[in-house]
Amino acid sequence: MISDYLEGDIETFVNYFEVGFKDYITKNTFYFEISESKDDRIALYNFLISYKGYFITFNGVHYDNVVLAYFIKEFNRKLNRLSSLELTKELKRFSNLVIFDDHEATKWYKWYKHSWTNIDLFLYWARSLRITKKISLKSLGIQLNHPRVQ
């Protein structure tokens, strides 16, 4: 049983896509992977359209949610018919559009109404502090001496 509070993050590469979760209450972790060796796309889609709890992220509003909205909205239209490698390339292509703020290409996904409630920790930080200190998730991990930063 999954609680109503999940921490989450996505990773996107041309040959690998992963959505990982950690249950805030039980501390259990689980993930959905799409790669040449594993294809959890159907399980991921079903999870994303049915989860109704809180999704705790760092920059989820402006990145994770947009990419996941693209995955959900385009799943039945085209993504479910692609090979796993074609799918990871397509998700990476869209991820880059989000990163480089291509508003015309991403605007239809930014306001998608997810079934979950997002708690974006990045938005709770003072905007000016983030900008002046150039704080990102990776730099924060390094500053906190996290044992593994990718």
Side-chain angles (χ1 to χ4, degrees):
M1 173 97 178
I2 298 170
S3 80
D4 289 336
Y5 298 93
L6 296 178
E7 299 171 46
D9 192 27
I10 68 174
E11 298 297 332
T12 308
F13 300 97
V14 293
N15 63 344
Y16 184 83
F17 180 79
E18 178 183 301
V19 182
F21 296 100
K22 182 175 182 181
D23 189 312
Y24 188 76
I25 305 299
T26 67
K27 307 299 185 210
N28 293 332
T29 60
F30 61 99
Y31 69 97
F32 299 94
E33 175 184 327
I34 302 169
S35 67
E36 290 184 281
S37 61
K38 189 173 182 184
D39 191 346
D40 293 332
R41 79 176 87 184
I42 294 171
L44 173 60
Y45 175 78
N46 289 331
F47 177 80
L48 292 175
I49 62 170
S50 64
Y51 181 68
K52 296 187 183 345
Y54 294 92
F55 185 33
I56 304 164
T57 61
F58 192 88
N59 199 28
V61 167
H62 296 293
Y63 178 73
D64 300 52
N65 281 355
V66 181
V67 174
L68 294 177
Y70 176 76
F71 179 81
I72 293 167
K73 286 184 77 169
E74 301 300 328
F75 185 81
N76 288 320
R77 193 177 322 185
K78 67 179 180 180
L79 298 181
N80 65 341
R81 292 186 291 278
L82 299 176
S83 71
S84 57
L85 186 56
E86 290 170 329
L87 177 55
T88 57
K89 285 180 181 177
E90 177 60 18
L91 292 171
K92 178 61 176 166
R93 181 197 68 79
F94 185 78
S95 169
N96 287 344
L97 294 174
V98 175
I99 290 168
F100 296 113
D101 199 25
D102 185 333
H103 178 71
E104 284 304 308
T106 61
K107 65 184 177 186
W108 305 109
Y109 308 98
K110 287 185 178 181
W111 304 109
Y112 177 78
K113 192 75 172 150
H114 297 281
S115 60
W116 62 82
T117 301
N118 192 262
I119 300 172
D120 189 337
L121 300 177
F122 192 68
L123 296 178
Y124 286 105
W125 288 20
R127 184 175 187 273
S128 60
L129 174 65
R130 289 193 318 263
I131 291 169
T132 59
K133 301 291 184 189
K134 296 183 181 176
I135 297 172
S136 70
L137 183 58
K138 288 181 179 151
S139 66
L140 180 61
I142 291 166
Q143 291 171 14
L144 295 173
N145 295 319
H146 196 275
R148 187 168 134 194
V149 179
Q150 294 181 321

